[in-house]
Structures are given as C-alpha cells and as structure tokens.
Amino acid sequence: MAVSTFDTLRALAIASQALGFILILTLETLMGDAARPWQGWTLAAMVVAALWVALVRLYRRNRARKAMVRRLADHDDDVD
C-alpha cells in the first residue's frame, strides 16, 4: 500500500481558512462597517470547517489505530 505525502485534509483546512480570511477582508473593503454581521458569519463558518476537519482527522486516526490492533491480534493468533 503506497503512502501519499499529500494530506487532503490539511489542504482543505488551509484552503478554507485562507478563503475565509480573504472573504473577511474583501467584505471590509467593499462594505465598510456594514460588513460586520457578514464577517461574523464568515468567521463562524471558518470555525465549523476547522472543527469538521479535526473530527474527520480524529475519526480516521482512530479507525487506523483499530485496524492496526486487529492486524496485530491476527498476527499473534497466526504465530501461536
């Protein structure tokens, strides 16, 4: 099984945060003080995206850990 050096979740996290910050700055530039509520919603969406990425990463890590434990247990059963 080949190990990929490209981390899709990390790229997604970086892209979503960069897009959010660009949107916040653009809103401020175009709308001035009227942009405040939209900037708040954008920040909230950025936090939700970061939490989603963290949860997916945790899920994948736990799934891989359980698979490793199963493989080791199967290997131990084969050796005995």
Side-chain angles (χ1 to χ4, degrees):
M1 179 177 184
V3 176
S4 174
T5 58
F6 181 74
D7 188 355
T8 305
L9 284 177
R10 184 178 302 254
L12 183 62
I14 292 169
S16 68
Q17 298 302 301
L19 182 64
F21 283 123
I22 290 169
L23 184 57
I24 286 173
L25 293 173
T26 302
L27 286 168
E28 180 71 27
T29 302
L30 296 177
M31 299 174 70
D33 286 337
R36 298 288 183 221
W38 294 105
Q39 289 173 325
W41 284 110
T42 302
L43 182 60
M46 290 167 64
V47 170
V48 168
L51 289 174
W52 177 80
V53 168
L55 285 174
V56 170
R57 184 175 297 279
L58 182 64
Y59 171 77
R60 288 182 180 178
R61 186 179 306 134
N62 286 341
R63 188 177 63 185
R65 185 178 301 132
K66 287 179 184 179
M68 179 64 78
V69 168
R70 266 187 258 123
R71 281 193 299 272
L72 290 174
D74 289 345
H75 178 70
D76 288 344
D77 290 343
D78 291 343
V79 171
D80 291 340

XYZ file of all heavy atoms in Angstrom:
627
model
N 0.844 -1.181 0.000
C 0.000 0.000 0.000
C 0.888 1.242 0.000
O 1.720 1.422 0.880
C -0.908 -0.032 1.224
C -1.808 1.128 1.341
S -2.866 0.871 2.786
C -3.885 2.260 2.647
N 0.728 2.089 -0.969
C 1.538 3.300 -1.102
C 1.025 4.386 -0.157
O -0.172 4.571 0.007
C 1.490 3.806 -2.532
N 1.955 5.076 0.464
C 1.607 6.163 1.367
C 1.718 7.476 0.602
O 2.756 7.776 0.030
C 2.537 6.171 2.601
C 2.236 7.358 3.486
C 2.419 4.867 3.356
N 0.645 8.229 0.610
C 0.638 9.509 -0.088
C 1.204 10.592 0.819
O 0.887 10.657 2.006
C -0.798 9.859 -0.491
O -0.833 11.149 -1.048
N 2.038 11.452 0.281
C 2.592 12.545 1.065
C 1.667 13.759 1.051
O 1.861 14.686 1.824
C 3.979 12.955 0.539
O 3.857 13.326 -0.828
C 4.977 11.828 0.688
N 0.659 13.741 0.179
C -0.278 14.852 0.100
C -1.417 14.607 1.088
O -2.093 13.591 1.027
C -0.839 14.983 -1.320
C -1.793 16.136 -1.466
C -1.325 17.427 -1.499
C -3.158 15.915 -1.533
C -2.189 18.499 -1.623
C -4.039 16.978 -1.652
C -3.556 18.277 -1.699
N -1.615 15.507 2.018
C -2.656 15.387 3.033
C -3.861 16.223 2.604
O -3.841 17.450 2.693
C -2.120 15.847 4.376
C -3.080 15.581 5.522
O -4.215 15.128 5.271
O -2.677 15.824 6.672
N -4.892 15.553 2.141
C -6.074 16.240 1.618
C -6.756 17.070 2.703
O -7.191 18.197 2.444
C -7.074 15.215 1.051
O -6.399 14.417 0.079
C -8.255 15.892 0.412
N -6.850 16.526 3.912
C -7.500 17.273 4.991
C -6.731 18.541 5.346
O -7.324 19.592 5.586
C -7.652 16.393 6.228
C -8.751 15.355 6.172
C -8.748 14.507 7.442
C -10.113 16.004 5.987
N -5.411 18.440 5.351
C -4.602 19.630 5.658
C -4.788 20.689 4.572
O -4.934 21.880 4.858
C -3.133 19.256 5.786
C -2.255 20.421 6.186
C -0.819 19.962 6.336
N -0.733 18.905 7.326
C -0.233 19.082 8.555
N 0.238 20.243 8.911
N -0.187 18.085 9.403
N -4.800 20.264 3.316
C -5.002 21.197 2.211
C -6.381 21.837 2.288
O -6.535 23.044 2.057
C -4.832 20.479 0.879
N -7.391 21.033 2.634
C -8.748 21.563 2.779
C -8.829 22.573 3.920
O -9.462 23.623 3.794
C -9.733 20.413 3.015
C -11.194 20.777 3.126
C -11.695 21.414 1.837
C -12.008 19.539 3.445
N -8.178 22.282 5.022
C -8.178 23.201 6.166
C -7.499 24.525 5.805
O -8.026 25.609 6.103
C -7.478 22.550 7.357
N -6.355 24.440 5.172
C -5.624 25.651 4.793
C -6.424 26.469 3.785
O -6.545 27.692 3.913
C -4.236 25.294 4.238
C -3.364 24.728 5.356
C -3.568 26.493 3.585
C -2.075 24.098 4.887
N -6.994 25.793 2.804
C -7.768 26.499 1.776
C -9.001 27.167 2.365
O -9.320 28.313 2.025
C -8.172 25.532 0.670
N -9.712 26.479 3.252
C -10.933 27.063 3.821
C -10.609 28.266 4.700
O -11.326 29.269 4.670
C -11.714 26.011 4.609
O -11.017 25.622 5.781
N -9.508 28.181 5.468
C -9.129 29.319 6.307
C -8.652 30.496 5.458
O -9.009 31.646 5.735
C -8.045 28.893 7.311
C -8.497 27.821 8.275
C -9.696 28.221 9.090
O -9.673 29.214 9.812
N -10.773 27.464 8.975
N -7.879 30.221 4.434
C -7.408 31.290 3.554
C -8.577 31.966 2.848
O -8.646 33.205 2.777
C -6.422 30.730 2.529
N -9.497 31.163 2.342
C -10.678 31.713 1.677
C -11.505 32.566 2.643
O -11.981 33.644 2.282
C -11.529 30.586 1.098
C -12.767 30.996 0.324
C -12.374 31.785 -0.913
C -13.565 29.773 -0.069
N -11.651 32.085 3.868
C -12.397 32.851 4.870
C -11.758 34.201 5.164
O -12.445 35.223 5.223
N -10.449 34.212 5.362
C -9.772 35.477 5.646
C -9.840 36.429 4.450
O -10.033 37.640 4.622
C -8.316 35.243 6.057
C -8.182 34.758 7.466
C -7.541 33.572 7.741
C -8.704 35.481 8.531
C -7.410 33.108 9.042
C -8.590 35.038 9.838
C -7.940 33.844 10.096
N -9.709 35.896 3.249
C -9.837 36.737 2.056
C -11.242 37.324 1.978
O -11.416 38.511 1.689
C -9.493 35.935 0.790
C -7.994 35.640 0.761
C -9.925 36.664 -0.467
C -7.585 34.628 -0.292
N -12.252 36.504 2.264
C -13.631 36.983 2.238
C -13.873 38.055 3.294
O -14.529 39.071 3.025
C -14.611 35.816 2.430
C -16.087 36.134 2.344
C -16.432 36.794 1.008
C -16.908 34.871 2.538
N -13.332 37.860 4.490
C -13.492 38.861 5.554
C -12.864 40.195 5.134
O -13.474 41.258 5.305
C -12.884 38.347 6.876
C -13.805 37.272 7.478
C -12.659 39.484 7.868
C -13.236 36.578 8.688
N -11.662 40.148 4.587
C -11.004 41.388 4.150
C -11.738 42.035 2.982
O -11.868 43.272 2.924
C -9.546 41.105 3.774
C -8.638 40.703 4.938
C -7.270 40.284 4.422
C -8.528 41.824 5.943
N -12.230 41.220 2.067
C -12.975 41.755 0.921
C -14.265 42.417 1.375
O -14.624 43.499 0.887
C -13.280 40.628 -0.086
O -12.039 40.049 -0.497
C -14.016 41.159 -1.295
N -14.964 41.785 2.306
C -16.205 42.375 2.826
C -15.929 43.725 3.479
O -16.688 44.680 3.285
C -16.867 41.425 3.829
C -17.551 40.201 3.237
C -17.900 39.208 4.344
C -18.789 40.591 2.463
N -14.846 43.800 4.262
C -14.490 45.058 4.918
C -14.181 46.133 3.882
O -14.599 47.289 4.024
C -13.275 44.851 5.826
C -12.821 46.094 6.547
C -13.788 46.530 7.631
O -14.506 45.679 8.182
O -13.827 47.746 7.919
N -13.485 45.749 2.838
C -13.115 46.707 1.791
C -14.338 47.212 1.039
O -14.467 48.407 0.768
C -12.133 46.056 0.795
O -10.980 45.619 1.518
C -11.717 47.030 -0.282
N -15.247 46.308 0.705
C -16.400 46.685 -0.115
C -17.546 47.313 0.684
O -18.243 48.177 0.169
C -16.927 45.451 -0.854
C -15.968 44.820 -1.873
C -16.586 43.566 -2.470
C -15.599 45.820 -2.943
N -17.741 46.863 1.917
C -18.940 47.272 2.656
C -18.663 48.163 3.866
O -19.589 48.737 4.429
C -19.705 46.036 3.123
C -20.188 45.155 1.982
S -20.937 43.633 2.567
C -22.455 44.243 3.293
N -17.432 48.252 4.312
C -17.122 49.059 5.494
C -17.730 48.450 6.738
O -17.667 47.247 6.964
N -18.362 49.312 7.575
C -18.944 48.839 8.834
C -20.148 47.929 8.628
O -20.477 47.136 9.510
C -19.352 50.028 9.710
C -18.144 50.723 10.323
O -17.092 50.059 10.438
O -18.262 51.907 10.681
N -20.802 48.014 7.496
C -21.959 47.163 7.222
C -21.553 45.698 7.042
O -22.408 44.809 7.037
C -22.687 47.654 5.978
N -20.266 45.457 6.914
C -19.784 44.089 6.698
C -19.709 43.279 7.990
O -19.574 42.064 7.936
C -18.405 44.131 6.060
N -19.831 43.927 9.136
C -19.622 43.240 10.422
C -20.445 41.963 10.574
O -19.896 40.925 10.933
C -19.888 44.175 11.603
C -18.968 45.352 11.662
C -17.573 44.942 12.077
N -16.752 46.138 12.175
C -15.518 46.201 11.765
N -14.940 45.167 11.244
N -14.838 47.301 11.873
N -21.763 41.961 10.335
C -22.517 40.709 10.502
C -22.051 39.614 9.537
O -21.949 38.442 9.921
C -23.961 41.101 10.205
C -24.018 42.579 10.338
C -22.651 43.087 10.040
N -21.739 39.992 8.308
C -21.279 39.017 7.319
C -19.916 38.459 7.699
O -19.632 37.277 7.490
C -21.232 39.652 5.930
C -22.587 40.006 5.434
C -23.136 41.248 5.369
C -23.594 39.100 4.966
N -24.413 41.170 4.883
C -24.717 39.860 4.626
C -23.644 37.713 4.810
C -25.881 39.292 4.137
C -24.803 37.151 4.315
C -25.915 37.927 3.988
N -19.083 39.304 8.266
C -17.779 38.840 8.717
C -17.930 37.858 9.882
O -17.187 36.872 9.973
C -16.906 40.023 9.143
C -16.445 40.862 7.974
C -15.734 42.120 8.419
O -16.083 42.711 9.441
N -14.737 42.542 7.645
N -18.887 38.118 10.742
C -19.162 37.204 11.856
C -19.614 35.834 11.361
O -19.157 34.798 11.853
N -20.505 35.839 10.374
C -20.969 34.571 9.792
C -19.830 33.842 9.084
O -19.729 32.606 9.133
C -22.133 34.800 8.833
C -23.416 35.068 9.554
C -24.089 36.255 9.604
C -24.170 34.146 10.342
N -25.215 36.123 10.375
C -25.287 34.836 10.837
C -24.002 32.817 10.678
C -26.235 34.227 11.649
C -24.950 32.200 11.496
C -26.052 32.900 11.965
N -18.969 34.609 8.433
C -17.820 34.002 7.762
C -16.879 33.365 8.782
O -16.410 32.239 8.593
C -17.058 35.059 6.931
O -17.956 35.640 5.992
C -15.878 34.456 6.206
N -16.626 34.067 9.870
C -15.771 33.521 10.922
C -16.395 32.267 11.524
O -15.695 31.275 11.779
C -15.522 34.577 12.005
C -14.604 34.155 13.148
C -13.228 33.775 12.609
C -14.497 35.269 14.169
N -17.702 32.285 11.742
C -18.393 31.105 12.273
C -18.255 29.918 11.313
O -18.013 28.781 11.740
C -19.860 31.426 12.525
N -18.378 30.176 10.021
C -18.217 29.107 9.027
C -16.783 28.574 9.032
O -16.564 27.361 8.874
C -18.593 29.626 7.639
N -15.810 29.446 9.236
C -14.416 29.016 9.310
C -14.192 28.098 10.513
O -13.490 27.080 10.408
C -13.490 30.232 9.398
C -13.415 31.043 8.122
S -12.619 32.645 8.362
C -10.976 32.159 8.831
N -14.800 28.444 11.646
C -14.669 27.614 12.852
C -15.330 26.255 12.634
O -14.772 25.215 13.004
C -15.256 28.343 14.084
C -15.348 27.410 15.277
C -14.423 29.572 14.416
N -16.507 26.256 12.024
C -17.197 24.996 11.734
C -16.349 24.125 10.805
O -16.220 22.908 11.020
C -18.599 25.262 11.141
C -19.206 23.998 10.561
C -19.512 25.851 12.202
N -15.767 24.716 9.795
C -14.915 23.963 8.862
C -13.706 23.380 9.592
O -13.342 22.216 9.370
C -14.468 24.856 7.709
N -13.090 24.156 10.466
C -11.926 23.669 11.218
C -12.317 22.518 12.139
O -11.589 21.525 12.250
C -11.308 24.813 12.019
N -13.466 22.642 12.801
C -13.931 21.556 13.675
C -14.248 20.304 12.882
O -13.952 19.186 13.313
C -15.148 22.016 14.484
C -14.871 23.036 15.578
C -16.179 23.518 16.193
C -13.964 22.452 16.639
N -14.849 20.473 11.704
C -15.167 19.320 10.858
C -13.892 18.594 10.434
O -13.817 17.365 10.508
C -15.956 19.782 9.635
C -16.258 18.670 8.690
C -17.238 17.745 8.804
C -15.533 18.354 7.503
N -17.178 16.874 7.748
C -16.142 17.225 6.934
C -14.440 18.922 6.862
C -15.672 16.649 5.762
C -13.982 18.347 5.700
C -14.599 17.228 5.157
N -12.887 19.349 10.025
C -11.616 18.743 9.623
C -10.985 18.017 10.811
O -10.479 16.897 10.667
C -10.652 19.804 9.042
C -9.242 19.253 8.904
C -11.166 20.301 7.702
N -11.033 18.619 11.995
C -10.465 17.976 13.182
C -11.204 16.675 13.507
O -10.570 15.672 13.853
C -10.519 18.931 14.373
N -12.518 16.675 13.397
C -13.292 15.464 13.678
C -13.014 14.366 12.661
O -12.882 13.189 13.022
C -14.786 15.779 13.717
C -15.272 16.495 14.964
C -16.747 16.878 14.820
C -15.078 15.636 16.193
N -12.916 14.728 11.400
C -12.612 13.727 10.366
C -11.225 13.149 10.597
O -11.015 11.940 10.491
C -12.736 14.337 8.957
C -12.189 13.393 7.901
C -14.182 14.684 8.664
N -10.267 13.997 10.952
C -8.904 13.528 11.223
C -8.896 12.573 12.423
O -8.246 11.522 12.387
C -7.981 14.718 11.485
C -6.534 14.320 11.683
C -5.640 15.547 11.828
N -5.615 16.375 10.648
C -4.874 16.123 9.572
N -4.124 15.067 9.542
N -4.897 16.937 8.546
N -9.620 12.916 13.470
C -9.714 12.057 14.654
C -10.358 10.717 14.307
O -9.880 9.655 14.717
C -10.511 12.768 15.749
C -10.656 12.032 17.069
C -9.296 11.855 17.738
C -11.605 12.799 17.975
N -11.428 10.762 13.523
C -12.104 9.537 13.098
C -11.157 8.642 12.304
O -11.062 7.439 12.548
C -13.341 9.888 12.261
C -13.976 8.698 11.592
C -14.758 7.812 12.315
C -13.773 8.454 10.233
C -15.324 6.708 11.699
C -14.330 7.358 9.612
C -15.118 6.490 10.355
O -15.666 5.399 9.747
N -10.438 9.218 11.356
C -9.510 8.441 10.531
C -8.373 7.853 11.368
O -7.961 6.720 11.167
C -8.942 9.296 9.402
C -9.938 9.591 8.318
C -9.307 10.399 7.221
N -10.255 10.695 6.163
C -9.965 11.419 5.100
N -8.759 11.922 4.947
N -10.890 11.639 4.188
N -7.862 8.652 12.309
C -6.777 8.172 13.164
C -7.250 6.999 14.031
O -6.544 5.984 14.159
C -6.273 9.309 14.056
C -5.050 8.926 14.858
C -4.541 10.070 15.724
N -4.307 11.270 14.946
C -4.711 12.481 15.317
N -5.382 12.649 16.426
N -4.456 13.521 14.568
N -8.437 7.119 14.604
C -8.966 6.037 15.433
C -9.253 4.790 14.603
O -9.016 3.668 15.062
C -10.229 6.484 16.166
C -9.919 7.418 17.313
O -8.787 7.476 17.794
N -10.911 8.161 17.751
N -9.776 4.970 13.395
C -10.050 3.832 12.520
C -8.751 3.119 12.146
O -8.681 1.887 12.166
C -10.780 4.310 11.266
C -11.280 3.174 10.397
C -12.051 3.693 9.239
N -11.161 4.496 8.392
C -11.540 5.175 7.335
N -12.800 5.197 6.978
N -10.674 5.864 6.623
N -7.703 3.885 11.858
C -6.405 3.288 11.531
C -5.817 2.570 12.740
O -5.235 1.487 12.613
C -5.445 4.366 11.024
N -5.972 3.157 13.926
C -5.451 2.533 15.144
C -6.160 1.203 15.406
O -5.509 0.202 15.733
C -5.651 3.473 16.333
C -5.025 2.964 17.612
C -5.200 3.942 18.763
N -4.610 5.230 18.455
C -5.224 6.397 18.629
N -6.447 6.444 19.096
N -4.611 7.521 18.340
N -7.484 1.173 15.234
C -8.238 -0.071 15.433
C -7.843 -1.128 14.411
O -7.737 -2.309 14.740
C -9.739 0.203 15.363
C -10.264 0.934 16.571
C -11.751 1.209 16.443
C -12.246 2.023 17.616
N -13.670 2.336 17.506
N -7.623 -0.723 13.177
C -7.196 -1.663 12.142
C -5.823 -2.232 12.483
O -5.579 -3.436 12.292
C -7.176 -0.979 10.788
N -4.925 -1.408 13.008
C -3.596 -1.875 13.389
C -3.689 -2.879 14.541
O -3.021 -3.914 14.523
C -2.709 -0.689 13.800
C -1.329 -1.095 14.241
S -0.356 -1.854 12.940
C 0.126 -0.408 12.035
N -4.536 -2.603 15.512
C -4.717 -3.529 16.632
C -5.267 -4.858 16.118
O -4.814 -5.932 16.546
C -5.648 -2.912 17.707
C -6.092 -3.950 18.716
C -4.951 -1.753 18.402
N -6.220 -4.800 15.197
C -6.774 -6.034 14.621
C -5.700 -6.822 13.876
O -5.622 -8.045 14.004
C -7.934 -5.713 13.680
C -9.273 -5.796 14.380
C -10.404 -5.634 13.378
N -10.861 -4.250 13.558
C -10.925 -3.323 12.630
N -10.631 -3.581 11.407
N -11.317 -2.111 12.892
N -4.882 -6.126 13.088
C -3.817 -6.808 12.346
C -2.811 -7.457 13.291
O -2.374 -8.580 13.078
C -3.102 -5.845 11.413
C -3.860 -5.563 10.137
C -2.991 -4.866 9.109
N -2.483 -3.567 9.549
C -3.125 -2.412 9.383
N -4.293 -2.373 8.790
N -2.589 -1.277 9.797
N -2.453 -6.748 14.358
C -1.515 -7.307 15.332
C -2.118 -8.507 16.051
O -1.437 -9.499 16.295
C -1.089 -6.236 16.337
C -0.187 -5.130 15.800
C 0.042 -4.066 16.863
C 1.126 -5.698 15.306
N -3.389 -8.418 16.387
C -4.058 -9.539 17.055
C -4.137 -10.743 16.119
O -3.908 -11.881 16.548
C -5.449 -9.129 17.515
N -4.441 -10.503 14.847
C -4.485 -11.596 13.874
C -3.108 -12.216 13.691
O -2.965 -13.427 13.587
C -5.018 -11.110 12.522
C -6.505 -10.793 12.563
O -7.172 -11.209 13.525
O -6.985 -10.115 11.622
N -2.088 -11.370 13.666
C -0.724 -11.859 13.515
C -0.324 -12.710 14.737
O 0.296 -13.754 14.594
C 0.252 -10.700 13.340
C 1.679 -11.124 13.234
N 2.170 -11.783 12.131
C 2.715 -11.021 14.099
C 3.450 -12.049 12.319
N 3.804 -11.585 13.519
N -0.684 -12.249 15.932
C -0.382 -13.008 17.151
C -1.096 -14.354 17.154
O -0.544 -15.356 17.584
C -0.776 -12.204 18.399
C 0.155 -11.033 18.651
O 1.263 -11.016 18.056
O -0.215 -10.143 19.435
N -2.336 -14.387 16.655
C -3.074 -15.647 16.573
C -2.427 -16.601 15.581
O -2.388 -17.804 15.793
C -4.528 -15.400 16.162
C -5.322 -14.721 17.266
O -4.863 -14.728 18.428
O -6.407 -14.160 16.958
N -1.873 -16.069 14.495
C -1.221 -16.900 13.482
C 0.095 -17.479 14.003
O 0.485 -18.579 13.647
C -0.960 -16.105 12.209
C -2.245 -15.739 11.477
O -3.291 -16.365 11.758
O -2.201 -14.823 10.631
N 0.805 -16.701 14.826
C 2.098 -17.115 15.328
C 1.946 -18.219 16.369
O 2.736 -19.149 16.417
C 2.872 -15.912 15.923
C 4.122 -16.361 16.636
C 3.201 -14.918 14.836
N 0.929 -18.134 17.188
C 0.740 -19.137 18.252
C 0.352 -20.447 17.727
O 0.297 -21.175 17.054
C -0.363 -18.689 19.219
C 0.079 -17.482 20.027
O 1.296 -17.256 20.110
O -0.797 -16.778 20.554
